[in-house]
Amino acid sequence: MNYQLMKESEQELQKSFLQYCDHVLTTWQYVAKCIGNGVFSQEDITKLNSFEDESNHFEVQIMDECIWTISKNQPYANHLRYIIAILNSIKDLERMADMANNTTSFFAHHEVSNEFRKIIITAVKSAIVVMNKVFKSLHINPALESYQIWQNANNVFRKEYKLILMQISNVIKKHTAKQIVDLFQGVILIIKHVERLVDHINNITENFMFIKQSNFFLDKQKP
């Protein structure tokens, strides 16, 4: 295996992957802006649908790059773990993009009260803070630093998330049973999307920890 060629392939993969990270962050920032404005115009929906199409393109493109790198360079050890980490991580990014699309669809088809909307935007912005910190770190920091940044950001997010759930509980008490059935399920779905966003970010940081520590996932399962 030509080491220099392998490193160049890794750099190209990293560039594509980080562009995908930035794309998902931009998508959610745009969703947050629309929620904050209280309206998803047809132009917004069209733009967010195009973001989803771009996400799918990123996923396929990076997967193809990984397959080509394996067939061309026959990587081993850390190089192969790097490719595995990228392949696993783009699945998380794709799901994060899907969640943005689902959130757009919900707001496009439902009237959401200001009380619920304010709660949702608070939750989304809280998750975006975590996403932004981790993705910025992946641009410049090794795996361990990015993982630690996620842990610190996640601790803050979990405290905010508990308060958000309490706010939802208080708002529910003001609604009728029919309103809860029609709207509450959708609101909860989005709030769970937000929680899963942070979980997917965790998965990505752990995938990169795997590159440097091949036993990372095995050690994590130990009591």
Side-chain angles (χ1 to χ4, degrees):
M1 179 187 70
N2 187 312
Y3 179 81
Q4 184 58 36
L5 286 176
M6 189 64 242
K7 291 303 295 183
E8 289 175 1
S9 295
E10 280 190 9
Q11 289 170 359
E12 287 300 314
L13 268 178
Q14 181 185 41
K15 180 180 178 181
S16 298
F17 175 75
L18 292 174
Q19 287 175 341
Y20 196 4
C21 289
D22 293 341
H23 173 75
V24 172
L25 174 60
T26 299
T27 301
W28 271 101
Q29 288 172 332
Y30 196 92
V31 170
K33 185 194 77 169
C34 293
I35 297 174
N37 291 339
V39 62
F40 280 74
S41 67
Q42 187 56 52
E43 181 181 355
D44 292 328
I45 294 171
T46 300
K47 186 168 185 175
L48 285 163
N49 285 337
S50 72
F51 283 169
E52 171 66 9
D53 291 339
E54 288 180 56
S55 170
N56 294 333
H57 176 74
F58 267 118
E59 183 187 20
V60 172
Q61 173 195 338
I62 294 172
M63 191 176 299
D64 284 345
E65 287 182 31
C66 288
I67 294 171
W68 171 244
T69 298
I70 292 172
S71 62
K72 179 179 66 173
N73 298 317
Q74 298 181 347
Y76 54 83
N78 281 357
H79 300 296
L80 185 56
R81 286 199 292 272
Y82 183 83
I83 294 172
I84 292 171
I86 292 289
L87 286 170
N88 286 334
S89 295
I90 61 174
K91 294 178 183 177
D92 288 292
L93 290 173
E94 193 273 335
R95 287 298 302 131
M96 293 166 73
D98 281 348
M99 290 172 184
N101 192 52
N102 292 341
T103 300
T104 299
S105 179
F106 173 75
F107 275 94
H109 294 95
H110 295 85
E111 290 290 334
V112 181
S113 70
N114 283 335
E115 288 179 304
F116 274 134
R117 185 171 58 82
K118 288 178 181 178
I119 293 172
I120 291 171
I121 190 60
T122 299
V124 169
K125 286 183 175 180
S126 183
I128 287 175
V129 168
V130 181
M131 199 186 311
N132 192 34
K133 287 182 177 180
V134 171
F135 288 173
K136 279 186 176 180
S137 177
L138 288 175
H139 276 274
I140 57 176
N141 289 322
L144 180 59
E145 282 84 347
S146 296
Y147 186 61
Q148 290 172 337
I149 285 172
W150 173 83
Q151 288 179 314
N152 294 333
N154 180 60
N155 288 337
V156 174
F157 171 81
R158 293 299 164 184
K159 293 177 182 177
E160 294 174 350
Y161 190 72
K162 287 182 180 179
L163 294 176
I164 288 167
L165 293 180
M166 290 176 60
Q167 291 174 345
I168 291 176
S169 177
N170 291 333
V171 173
I172 289 173
K173 297 173 184 177
K174 304 175 184 179
H175 287 71
T176 66
K178 184 179 185 305
Q179 288 173 323
I180 292 173
V181 171
D182 291 345
L183 183 61
F184 179 64
Q185 289 180 340
V187 172
I188 282 295
L189 177 63
I190 294 175
I191 294 298
K192 288 302 294 181
H193 278 345
V194 170
E195 183 183 27
R196 288 295 295 143
L197 278 177
V198 179
D199 290 339
H200 283 298
I201 297 167
N202 174 37
N203 291 344
I204 292 170
T205 60
E206 289 185 347
N207 290 334
F208 280 86
M209 286 292 290
F210 168 71
I211 299 171
K212 300 299 182 183
Q213 300 177 19
S214 59
N215 291 328
F216 176 78
F217 290 109
L218 292 175
D219 292 341
K220 186 182 176 185
Q221 293 175 2
K222 292 178 181 178

